[in-house]
Amino acid sequence: MLHLGGLRTALFNYLLARRYGGEFILRIEDTDQARLVPGAAEGIVQTLEWAGLNFDEGPGKGPDKYFQSQRSDIYRKHAQELLDRGAAYRCFCSTSRLEALRTEQTAQGRAPAYDRHCAHLSSRQIDEKLRAGERHTVRMRAPSAEDSDSGRFYDIVHRAMDFRGPAGFDDAVLLKSDGQPTYHLANVVDDHLMRITHVLRGEEWLMSTPKHRALFTAFGWQAPQYAHLPLLMNPDGSKLSKRNDDGPVQRYIDDGYLPESLVNYTALLGWHPETPQELFTLRQLEQSFSLAGLSRSKSVVSRERLDWLNRQHLRAALADPDKSAGLIQQARAEVAAASGLETASVRPETVATALRLAGDRLTFTKDLYNAVPFMFGDPALDTTAAEQALILVPHEFHIPILNALEHALASEVSESWIGFAKSVAAAAQVPTKHVMMMLRFALTGERFGPKIPELLDALPVDSIKRRIRSAKAEIESR
């Protein structure tokens, strides 16, 4: 399941490739079989497709193998190359010994690190252990702090970095005892073989970058440029994780957000455009994105801002003939489900009008029925909401206004609805605002809602007449 942070990483890599004519490559890091979730890779591909982030190479698309579990022979070959160069060595330490070492170092207030117990085994000792079938890993022989510049590098986001220290860094495991590579080896090898020039990833990998740069040096390869993206945070300051409600991308999809709005929102989590513009299409992002706009500050995930963006993108999509038809059909099914009506009885034309009428008050199409229920049936007039509208008009004006409305609607309305309301007000000898509120009561059964002229344009005249009669009957029955 793709996390919002993962979507941001994919998006920034995609935008960088599109802006500068590069290639966006999707690799599936599935070498840790114990943590493998069935269907996870397919879910990632589907989520990226939903977001419109079409990769140039990846599973099912391209000349290479893109699941790292399918590339084990490649990693073992390169691990052997490091062994032959003396840049790596075999480690036969048992799990219990490593745990004891870690416990002892922690108790002494030292950072846990391998003590190179196996780094100086002779060839004869190694051969004996291999013939005996002893399980082992392959570790990189990390260079000393004095002999390596791996810990000093330039990060596109964090600028000049220097992780050099007297202790250097740990001899990281490259091949596990089951023969599978770790992230360190697999990604360095793949980055080189796939000609990766830029790596944009989460800042949790910043501390591992010296190891990766050391591996590039050991192989004699040029390291790519790195940009480590700051963490995403909850409003309370805690780290956004996969377990948070706002973590998984699928949660946003299920909640009804448009791909355009989530992509727009995600792009602004750690990237600042050169202009005050906030509303972006994917195409506009492709043309505007730059590495210079990446921020070192952590970004807070806020649904409030995302909701605003979704309203803007929904309105734009409804104005686009290529997108509106699909949204109308989606909303039609959602209205049927929310109202209990048969889908066939919910007319697409009514849904289209209702979507326009709801306007900026609508964040999701699934909320259309609750936003304007009166577009799909006559309103209930004995509710608290209806009463809140009715009490704004003096009681003695109720029937005179409704009588005047009935009379005015008996013939064809030839003037604007504003002019119509003023004429009714004059006939009933009441202020125009009271006519407007009585219309709102009769037509919607609510105190707030769309502008009355827009509502009168949206409803068939027969429906307006029927609702006026129903309102009159409701008041007379009290």
Side-chain angles (χ1 to χ4, degrees):
M1 183 178 294
L2 191 63
H3 179 265
L4 187 63
L7 177 64
R8 182 185 65 169
T9 299
L11 174 62
F12 285 178
N13 279 280
Y14 168 88
L15 294 177
L16 179 65
R18 292 293 175 267
R19 176 71 191 276
Y20 298 105
E23 293 184 336
F24 174 48
I25 299 176
L26 175 63
R27 292 197 308 247
I28 304 298
E29 297 163 0
D30 60 344
T31 56
D32 191 345
Q33 296 296 304
R35 299 178 61 188
L36 196 61
V37 178
E42 292 80 0
I44 291 173
V45 172
Q46 290 171 3
T47 301
L48 293 180
E49 289 176 346
W50 173 84
L53 308 185
N54 299 315
F55 48 84
D56 300 297
E57 293 184 32
K61 188 178 182 179
D64 215 332
K65 296 177 180 178
Y66 300 95
F67 286 85
Q68 289 186 332
S69 59
Q70 299 172 351
R71 299 168 62 84
S72 297
D73 290 346
I74 297 173
Y75 306 133
R76 284 193 284 268
K77 171 181 174 294
H78 283 85
Q80 184 61 52
E81 183 178 331
L82 292 177
L83 287 169
D84 294 342
R85 294 184 178 193
Y89 59 92
R90 302 181 192 275
C91 174
F92 296 89
C93 290
S94 65
T95 301
S96 58
R97 181 185 184 278
L98 294 175
E99 289 178 350
L101 176 63
R102 187 178 301 109
T103 300
E104 178 184 352
Q105 291 172 332
T106 301
Q108 295 173 352
R110 296 157 51 198
Y114 184 59
D115 61 358
R116 291 193 165 179
H117 179 75
C118 294
H120 306 293
L121 293 176
S122 65
S123 297
R124 182 177 62 81
Q125 290 174 308
I126 293 172
D127 289 342
E128 288 177 354
K129 290 179 179 292
L130 291 176
R131 284 196 298 270
E134 289 190 32
R135 291 171 63 84
H136 64 280
T137 61
V138 173
R139 291 181 180 271
M140 71 178 294
R141 193 184 299 274
S144 66
E146 295 77 15
D147 297 334
S148 172
D149 256 355
S150 300
R152 183 173 60 184
F153 59 93
Y154 182 83
D155 183 86
I156 294 170
V157 174
H158 297 273
R159 309 295 188 260
M161 304 300 298
D162 194 342
F163 286 103
R164 295 175 302 168
F169 51 83
D170 195 13
D171 289 359
V173 173
L174 304 179
L175 278 184
K176 294 174 282 189
S177 59
D178 61 1
Q180 291 293 328
T182 60
Y183 176 90
H184 306 302
L185 177 64
N187 281 270
V188 166
V189 170
D190 286 346
D191 284 348
H192 172 71
L193 296 181
M194 295 181 182
R195 305 182 308 281
I196 302 300
T197 59
H198 292 76
V199 175
L200 279 63
R201 61 187 182 185
E203 69 177 7
E204 63 268 25
W205 292 106
L206 189 59
M207 295 290 290
S208 295
T209 304
K211 297 177 184 180
H212 300 164
R213 286 173 47 80
L215 281 173
F216 275 103
T217 299
F219 281 118
W221 299 336
Q222 177 67 43
Q225 295 186 57
Y226 290 98
H228 289 87
L229 308 174
L231 297 174
L232 298 183
M233 311 299 290
N234 292 307
D236 64 3
S238 61
K239 177 185 174 182
L240 185 73
S241 73
K242 294 179 181 179
R243 296 175 181 83
N244 291 116
D245 287 345
D246 288 339
V249 175
Q250 189 59 48
R251 181 63 62 86
Y252 295 92
I253 297 174
D254 293 343
D255 285 348
Y257 289 100
L258 297 175
E260 295 89 346
S261 59
L262 187 60
V263 166
N264 187 165
Y265 176 70
T266 303
L268 299 176
L269 293 174
W271 171 70
H272 298 301
E274 295 178 356
T275 67
Q277 180 179 350
E278 282 191 271
L279 203 63
F280 288 89
T281 63
L282 182 56
R283 178 61 180 154
Q284 289 171 329
L285 288 171
E286 292 173 7
Q287 297 170 336
S288 303
F289 182 80
S290 70
L291 295 174
L294 295 178
S295 171
R296 280 178 283 182
S297 302
K298 294 176 173 57
S299 297
V300 175
V301 174
S302 165
R303 288 270 184 144
E304 183 178 350
R305 189 184 194 191
L306 176 56
D307 287 349
W308 180 83
L309 286 170
N310 205 63
R311 288 192 289 273
Q312 310 314 307
H313 281 285
L314 178 57
R315 184 170 61 180
L318 290 171
D320 183 343
D322 293 333
K323 297 178 179 179
S324 60
L327 286 171
I328 288 170
Q329 289 304 320
Q330 175 182 316
R332 186 184 180 202
E334 291 166 339
V335 166
S339 65
L341 297 170
E342 292 292 332
T343 303
S345 68
V346 181
R347 300 174 62 233
E349 298 83 359
T350 303
V351 173
T353 301
L355 285 167
R356 176 179 56 78
L357 202 61
D360 288 345
R361 297 188 301 128
L362 190 68
T363 302
F364 307 106
T365 58
K366 67 179 181 180
D367 296 333
L368 180 61
Y369 179 74
N370 289 330
V372 286
F374 45 83
M375 288 299 298
F376 304 100
D378 291 354
L381 300 178
D382 57 352
T383 64
T384 301
E387 190 63 28
Q388 288 175 343
L390 191 60
I391 61 175
L392 295 178
V393 180
H395 177 75
E396 62 271 19
F397 293 161
H398 293 174
I399 296 300
I401 291 175
L402 293 172
N403 283 334
L405 284 169
E406 271 195 300
H407 178 75
L409 289 168
S411 56
E412 184 176 350
V413 178
S414 59
E415 57 189 330
S416 70
W417 286 117
I418 293 293
F420 168 80
K422 289 181 177 178
S423 297
V424 170
Q429 297 183 338
V430 299
T432 304
K433 67 177 183 180
H434 291 332
V435 174
M436 291 295 200
M437 187 53 67
M438 286 304 295
L439 277 169
R440 188 175 297 285
F441 164 75
L443 300 181
T444 72
E446 297 177 1
R447 178 178 175 180
F448 302 104
K451 295 178 180 178
I452 295 301
E454 294 178 0
L455 184 60
L456 290 167
D457 276 334
L459 291 170
V461 174
D462 287 347
S463 176
I464 296 173
K465 291 178 179 179
R466 185 179 63 252
R467 295 183 189 199
I468 295 296
R469 291 194 298 269
S470 295
K472 184 177 176 181
E474 169 66 25
I475 292 173
E476 289 176 338
S477 69
R478 296 185 177 186

